[in-house]
C-alpha cells in the first residue's frame, strides 16, 4: 500500500503524523503542498482544507489521527 502525507512547512500535526508512521515502520512519501500546485488542487478537490492529509490506499483523512495510523500497521 502506498502512503502519501500531504504537508506544509512548520506543521506540528504533520510532524506528529510522520513520527507516528516512523514508529510503526511504515514507508510513506511526503508532498509539500506549498511546492506542488497540482497536489494542492487534488487535496482541495478531495474536500480538505487542513494538513496533513494522509492518503493510504483507499483511505484518506486530515489531521493527526493516531487511530487511523494504528489501523495501517
Amino acid at each position: 500500500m502506498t502512503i502519501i502525507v500531504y504537508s506544509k512547512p512548520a506543521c506540528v500535526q504533520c510532524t506528529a503524523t510522520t513520527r507516528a508512521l516512523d514508529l510503526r515502520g511504515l514507508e510513506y512519501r511526503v508532498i509539500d503542498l506549498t511546492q506542488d500546485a497540482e497536489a494542492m488542487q487534488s487535496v482541495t478537490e478531495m474536500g480538505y482544507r487542513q494538513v496533513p492529509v494522509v492518503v493510504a490506499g483507499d483511505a484518506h483523512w486530515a489531521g493527526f489521527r493516531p487511530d487511523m495510523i494504528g489501523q495501517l500497521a
Side-chain angles (χ1 to χ4, degrees):
M1 167 180 32
T2 301
I3 301 172
I4 300 172
V5 179
Y6 294 97
S7 181
K8 67 178 184 175
C11 168
V12 174
Q13 289 192 36
C14 301
T15 302
T17 296
T18 56
R19 283 185 183 160
L21 291 167
D22 289 339
L23 285 172
R24 287 166 180 76
L26 297 168
E27 292 186 27
Y28 58 91
R29 185 171 58 136
V30 175
I31 297 177
D32 183 345
L33 293 177
T34 65
Q35 301 295 318
D36 189 331
E38 188 174 309
M40 179 64 148
Q41 182 177 346
S42 294
V43 167
T44 302
E45 287 173 358
M46 289 172 22
Y48 294 112
R49 304 221 180 270
Q50 75 176 52
V51 290
V53 172
V54 180
V55 177
D58 293 333
H60 50 86
W61 64 87
F64 176 52
R65 296 283 309 270
D67 58 325
M68 297 296 286
I69 293 168
Q71 293 178 22
L72 301 176

